[in-house]
Amino acid sequence: MPKLVVITPGLTGLAHEVTTDKASVGRVEDNRFCITEPSVSSHHCELWLKGDDVVVKDLNSTNGTFVNEVQVAAEKEVMLRPGQVLRLGQVELRYETGKKQNEQPRQTVKLDPAAGATIVMTKGAGFGKKENKINKIFLIVGGVLVVIIIVALVVALMKVGPSA
């Protein structure tokens, strides 16, 4: 059964089976697929199955909808193919069909009729996962605090000195 599986640490285990019926995805409970994470908008996007691909339509979300790190324009429909990653705000989901995935990166052809251009993108060609700088800052600040506490304890014990 085709499904979107959350791969973001801390939210793993969430999954949504994709059908041909439109399903809304968002932070509030009236969505068919509810993801209670602050970076996901109340009504973030819509999904439905079309063949082996999933159609994704952004619903003017605040933090954006991305397919393999390429932003989906508001109110536009984009095809998500098996193995690709859908990112809603900071939450990443992988589209799985249960079939064996192709080992070769799949090219995505994007047509822009307004500009009269065709853009061919290959997975991993210039796009990377965002680094989570908040975690790094938290670890650094935590390490500094631990060192300060240890130094303060050593100084306090030296002032008290040995008794008896």
Side-chain angles (χ1 to χ4, degrees), residues 45-164:
C45 66
E46 285 182 335
L47 310 168
W48 63 94
L49 195 60
K50 186 172 184 181
D52 277 344
D53 300 331
V54 172
V55 179
V56 179
K57 180 179 178 183
D58 183 76
L59 298 176
N60 291 315
S61 62
T62 303
N63 293 316
T65 300
F66 299 81
V67 174
N68 284 354
E69 294 302 321
V70 177
Q71 187 163 11
V72 176
E75 296 296 324
K76 296 292 180 185
E77 297 175 0
V78 172
M79 295 296 239
L80 176 67
R81 294 188 171 84
Q84 289 186 319
V85 175
L86 173 67
R87 182 166 59 85
L88 310 176
Q90 295 299 315
V91 178
E92 291 185 329
L93 306 99
R94 183 177 33 253
Y95 175 45
E96 299 177 357
T97 62
K99 300 175 186 174
K100 185 175 179 182
Q101 301 300 323
N102 211 354
E103 295 298 321
Q104 296 295 335
R106 202 166 180 183
Q107 288 187 338
T108 302
V109 178
K110 187 175 183 182
L111 301 174
D112 187 359
T118 301
I119 303 166
V120 177
M121 298 173 283
T122 303
K123 182 179 179 183
F127 295 102
K129 185 177 179 182
K130 286 185 174 182
E131 289 186 29
N132 193 344
K133 294 178 183 178
I134 293 174
N135 283 348
K136 289 179 183 177
I137 292 170
F138 179 75
L139 289 173
I140 291 169
V141 170
V144 170
L145 287 174
V146 167
V147 170
I148 290 171
I149 290 169
I150 291 172
V151 169
L153 285 172
V154 169
V155 169
L157 289 174
M158 289 175 65
K159 284 185 180 182
V160 170
S163 58

Side-chain angles (χ1 to χ4, degrees), residues 4-22:
L4 284 168
V5 178
V6 177
I7 57 175
T8 300
L11 295 173
T12 54
L14 285 177
H16 174 69
E17 289 185 1
V18 184
T19 64
T20 54
D21 297 329
K22 283 187 181 181

